[in-house]
């Protein structure tokens, strides 16, 4: 399977714990995005990487959130001191710029539940 | 319109019937409109990317149209099948973004045999 993969698929944690999610994009894609979806809403943009550079961050991404893409391949999203409001589906997408229109291909997401 | 809005929120369709639903988006700074299909426990699947006013795209029994001047897109499903049951998301991209998509909340389609 050469699609976008995310790990883990589900994570249950207690409030105050740190969690880290991983995203492996499609191998030749240089752009990587993180989104978050809460119940009844569409996905909301969190951050964007082009290669290893983090080029845009949403105001939704508080200081407790950090994302990295150290070698321009896989990416990690860490949430420190989790809160119940962090419970959501975290989606990763990747794209390769083609004729200025880049379709973003999504992974299956990581569902986080904070107790 | 300041955000992306989709209507209806959900709809039930009998197998074999055709249906359509709407995505409304800000008409200023338009760059592209994306449609995705998201089945439970799967990855959102890209259906269409549309950029030009009057664009029409088709994939099997699913088609979409785009009106950038008035800020709306329609998605049509012809002869609905149970496997069409999913949430259909539209996402809007502006000229001043790095690729950030602004999603609507989706239209949940349930096709009953």
């Amino acid at each position: 399977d050469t699609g976008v993969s995310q790990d883990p698929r589900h994570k249950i944690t207690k409030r105050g714990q740190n969690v880290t999610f991983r995203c492996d994009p499609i191998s030749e894609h240089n752009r990587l995005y993180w989104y978050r979806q809460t119940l009844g809403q569409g996905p909301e943009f969190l951050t964007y990487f082009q290669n290893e550079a983090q080029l845009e961050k949403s105001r939704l991404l508080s200081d407790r959130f950090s994302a990295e893409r150290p070698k321009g391949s896989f990416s990690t999203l860490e949430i420190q001191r989790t809160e119940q409001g962090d419970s959501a589906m975290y989606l990763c997408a990747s794209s390769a710029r083609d004729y200025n229109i880049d379709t973003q291909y999504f992974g299956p997401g990581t569902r986080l539940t904070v107790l | 319109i300041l955000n992306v809005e989709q209507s209806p929120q959900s709809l039930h369709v009998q197998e074999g019937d055709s249906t359509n639903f709407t995505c409304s988006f800000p008409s200023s700074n338009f760059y592209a409109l994306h449609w995705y299909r998201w089945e439970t426990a799967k990855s959102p699947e890209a259906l269409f990317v549309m950029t030009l006013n009057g664009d029409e795209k088709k994939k099997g029994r699913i088609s979409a149209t785009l009106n950038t001047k008035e800020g709306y897109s329609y998605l049509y499903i012809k002869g609905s099948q149970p496997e069409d049951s999913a949430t259909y998301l539209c996402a809007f991209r502006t000229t001043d973004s790095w690729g950030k998509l602004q999603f609507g909340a989706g239209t949940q389609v349930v096709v009953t045999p």
Side-chain angles (χ1 to χ4, degrees):
Chain A
D1 186 12
T2 56
V4 178
S5 61
Q6 293 187 245
D7 183 68
R9 294 287 304 272
H10 303 272
K11 179 70 177 179
I12 300 174
T13 191
K14 293 182 179 179
R15 189 175 53 187
Q17 298 295 303
N18 299 343
V19 294
T20 300
F21 311 140
R22 177 179 170 124
C23 170
D24 286 272
I26 294 171
S27 60
E28 63 268 24
H29 285 183
N30 63 340
R31 296 181 169 193
L32 188 146
Y33 310 81
W34 285 98
Y35 293 85
R36 178 174 70 185
Q37 191 212 21
T38 53
L39 201 61
Q41 305 294 319
E44 296 174 292
F45 171 81
L46 292 178
T47 191
Y48 157 65
F49 290 86
Q50 183 161 312
N51 300 309
E52 65 274 11
Q54 188 174 21
L55 296 184
E56 189 172 357
K57 289 170 59 172
S58 164
R59 280 171 284 183
L60 291 174
L61 218 63
S62 76
D63 291 345
R64 298 184 297 105
F65 287 71
S66 63
E68 294 184 341
R69 195 181 182 199
K71 296 182 179 178
S73 57
F74 72 92
S75 176
T76 57
L77 178 68
E78 181 183 14
I79 309 174
Q80 296 182 326
R81 305 181 303 281
T82 52
E83 301 172 357
Q84 288 183 326
D86 297 331
S87 295
M89 174 74 85
Y90 290 83
L91 291 162
C92 175
S94 71
S95 71
R97 189 157 187 166
D98 182 24
Y99 301 105
N100 295 326
I101 300 299
D102 48 347
T103 296
Q104 294 181 25
Y105 296 90
F106 282 83
T110 294
R111 182 167 294 284
L112 174 66
T113 303
V114 182
L115 302 176
Chain B
I1 297 235
L2 299 178
N3 298 310
V4 181
E5 297 174 0
Q6 291 189 246
S7 63
Q9 192 172 20
S10 65
L11 57 90
H12 286 74
V13 186
Q14 283 291 119
E15 182 176 358
D17 287 351
S18 296
T19 188
N20 65 83
F21 36 92
T22 308
C23 171
S24 301
F25 52 87
S27 54
S28 59
N29 299 327
F30 176 86
Y31 186 75
L33 193 284
H34 298 242
W35 280 101
Y36 287 86
R37 174 170 61 198
W38 195 0
E39 296 177 66
T40 304
K42 294 187 178 179
S43 305
E45 175 195 356
L47 291 175
F48 306 114
V49 181
M50 295 187 288
T51 58
L52 299 176
N53 185 45
D55 250 356
E56 292 187 23
K57 299 269 185 170
K58 188 175 180 181
K59 183 176 182 177
R61 293 179 292 96
I62 301 177
S63 60
T65 60
L66 178 68
N67 183 323
T68 60
K69 293 183 179 179
E70 296 182 41
Y72 65 84
S73 175
Y74 292 132
L75 193 97
Y76 300 89
I77 305 176
K78 184 178 178 182
S80 303
Q81 299 297 308
E83 59 264 32
D84 296 327
S85 296
T87 295
Y88 291 80
L89 294 166
C90 71
F92 165 72
R93 182 180 162 188
T94 59
T95 52
D96 57 353
S97 76
W98 286 95
K100 173 177 72 176
L101 297 179
Q102 299 175 50
F103 282 87
T107 293
Q108 184 180 25
V109 174
V110 177
V111 182
T112 50

